[in-house]
Amino acid sequence: MKKIVAFGASNSKKSINKKFANYAATLIPNSKVELLDLNDYVMPIYSEDIQEEYGIPELAHSFKDSLRESDGIVISFAEYNGSYTAAFKNIFDWISVIERDVWCSKPMLLLATSPGPRGAIDVLESAHKRINHGNKNTVLCFSLPSFGKNYDENYGILDKELLNSLQEIINSFSGSM
């Protein structure tokens, strides 16, 4: 049984990206999903001064431990003003100072969704470019446009083409673990 860490890169309590990350992770065969909530990892805004004075917060170590103990990572990105959410960026900054290999060389599935027809593609492309740089393992991507139209809480992805595309990517992701 593979352990998958999944999270929505948003601190919204109603995050569609958290729902989407969990949904996609549950499609991975022979896996157990640990769904993280960024609200459980609230830390001071990263700065070298804070790190020097107080050290790295225990919550950053805890988050990093979850990544390290996994077999694969699924992240679904919310797009705020064309970029990452501040909540995600802050965690990213803190875990990046723990060790050089930020994502522990784990296979990664990067997702994004939004209510609009572009499916948060800008942040997904930016995340892929940044995360893929220096990552020694597979980093795959999928964007789901028009979340409210294409996703149902009870059935998952409603559009057959989109579902098939996601399933193909998940099969590749599973094969990389």
Side-chain angles (χ1 to χ4, degrees):
M1 181 82 57
K2 301 289 184 183
K3 180 180 177 186
I4 306 299
V5 166
F7 61 93
S10 167
N11 61 347
S12 170
K13 291 181 182 181
K14 297 177 184 178
S15 172
I16 61 176
N17 281 282
K18 183 178 175 184
K19 290 176 188 176
F20 188 40
N22 186 54
Y23 166 74
T26 62
L27 295 176
I28 299 166
N30 303 316
S31 66
K32 178 182 176 194
V33 178
E34 178 185 3
L35 184 63
L36 302 180
D37 185 332
L38 297 193
N39 291 301
D40 295 333
Y41 299 92
V42 175
M43 296 174 269
I45 295 173
Y46 177 79
S47 80
E48 290 177 352
D49 295 336
I50 291 174
Q51 180 184 351
E52 188 175 303
E53 186 171 344
Y54 300 104
I56 298 170
E58 187 54 42
L59 288 173
H61 287 286
S62 175
F63 192 90
K64 184 76 170 197
D65 288 345
S66 290
L67 301 177
R68 194 177 290 113
E69 295 164 5
S70 74
D71 296 300
I73 302 167
V74 175
I75 307 171
S76 188
F77 289 90
E79 187 171 270
Y80 287 14
N81 296 316
S83 190
Y84 310 123
T85 65
F88 171 76
K89 181 66 168 80
N90 194 48
I91 290 172
F92 185 15
D93 289 344
W94 277 113
I95 67 171
S96 72
V97 297
I98 294 173
E99 65 184 89
R100 185 175 176 97
D101 187 356
V102 179
W103 303 103
C104 306
S105 294
K106 303 296 179 176
M108 297 181 75
L109 175 56
L110 307 182
L111 309 167
T113 191
S114 70
R118 296 199 67 237
I121 195 72
D122 289 337
V123 73
L124 184 59
E125 289 172 352
S126 175
H128 183 261
K129 182 178 178 182
R130 176 61 194 100
I131 290 171
N132 195 44
H133 178 72
N135 195 318
K136 298 172 186 145
N137 217 314
T138 302
V139 181
L140 300 169
C141 296
F142 178 83
S143 171
L144 180 67
S146 305
F147 184 80
K149 175 184 168 190
N150 289 315
Y151 182 85
D152 179 88
E153 295 277 338
N154 297 312
Y155 301 105
I157 294 179
L158 300 172
D159 181 282
K160 297 283 188 218
E161 279 186 40
L162 289 170
L163 179 57
N164 288 338
S165 293
L166 177 60
Q167 195 60 62
E168 286 178 24
I169 290 168
I170 285 175
N171 290 341
S172 294
F173 178 70
S174 295
S176 67
M177 287 188 281

